[in-house]
Amino acid sequence: VAMPAEQMGNYRAEILRLREKYAGRIHILLGLEHDWLSPAAPDGLDYAIESVHYVQKDGQLWSVDWTREKQEDAIRELYGGDPYALCRDYFRTVCASIEGTSADILGHIELVMKFNEARDLFEDADPRYLGPALECAEFAAHSGRLIEVNTGAIAKGYRTQPYPGAAMLRRIAECSGRIIFTSDCHNSDYLNCAFGEVTQLARACGFKSAWEYRRSEAVEYKL
């Protein structure tokens, strides 16, 4: 759901107020996560994240991260019981968002795994899943944008691993992609949730460095 224009104005004013209030103590950036199917993101941001939360099928929208039950409904009702067809559409939509966005960061590009920690909806090692997933990973890496390694589902108790997971991360590393760790936690208590663990995972997948924002500039640092 897009943020209404009036609410966006209030948000911008509040961030700028807090930036001034805490100047010299912390640096607060004005950023926004934009959904690919929402209206265009506003200008004048320090950074923007482009994410896919919804996929269109037969004139209907289904949500990737609403509930497990809704995902099961989409598999059954929109895809005739074929979860891999659903996953192909998801990764196709992610690739379209990467091609069309001007955002700085690509958000949670394997969000379709959110409710599939037990691999009982579909198997992420199955070629029908892995093929589109790795193609998406390559496309993201070659875009040159920062790719979010997102621990939000860990913070919320849905998963024990981030997304993208190890297979996609290895392909991103092989393609010299750039990563940034975010918690997407919606709760300050989990602001750096599992960053130690995902740093180890990133190293194991072949990354030597990651990126972070210092003031309004993305800066590389060694892992």
Side-chain angles (χ1 to χ4, degrees), residues 162-184:
Y163 29 63
M168 291 186 75
L169 284 173
R170 282 192 293 269
R171 183 57 56 87
I172 292 165
E174 291 166 1
C175 296
S176 302
R178 303 186 300 155
I179 56 172
I180 183 169
F181 301 139
T182 81
S183 59
D184 192 10

Side-chain angles (χ1 to χ4, degrees), residues 48-153:
I49 302 172
E50 188 69 62
S51 298
V52 169
H53 301 92
Y54 297 89
V55 173
Q56 289 183 313
K57 172 68 172 175
D58 297 336
Q60 299 185 56
L61 287 178
W62 62 271
S63 173
V64 180
D65 70 334
W66 191 355
T67 65
R68 178 185 168 96
E69 290 73 22
K70 291 295 184 182
Q71 191 159 1
E72 291 173 334
D73 289 346
I75 292 170
R76 182 178 61 256
E77 297 172 12
L78 297 178
Y79 290 92
D82 183 357
Y84 299 103
L86 176 148
C87 293
R88 284 195 302 273
D89 273 3
Y90 167 75
F91 285 118
R92 188 179 297 119
T93 304
V94 173
C95 288
S97 76
I98 294 169
E99 186 173 27
T101 189
S102 60
D104 311 278
I105 302 169
L106 306 177
H108 47 57
I109 64 171
E110 200 178 11
L111 185 61
V112 73
M113 282 290 292
K114 179 173 180 177
F115 302 112
N116 195 37
E117 172 82 356
R119 276 71 174 178
D120 54 343
L121 289 176
F122 50 86
E123 177 53 66
D124 60 342
D126 188 296
R128 292 172 292 176
Y129 178 89
L130 198 57
L134 296 184
E135 288 178 6
C136 181
E138 290 183 17
F139 198 68
H142 292 316
S143 76
R145 293 185 172 84
L146 296 177
I147 300 167
E148 180 188 63
V149 182
N150 185 306
T151 65

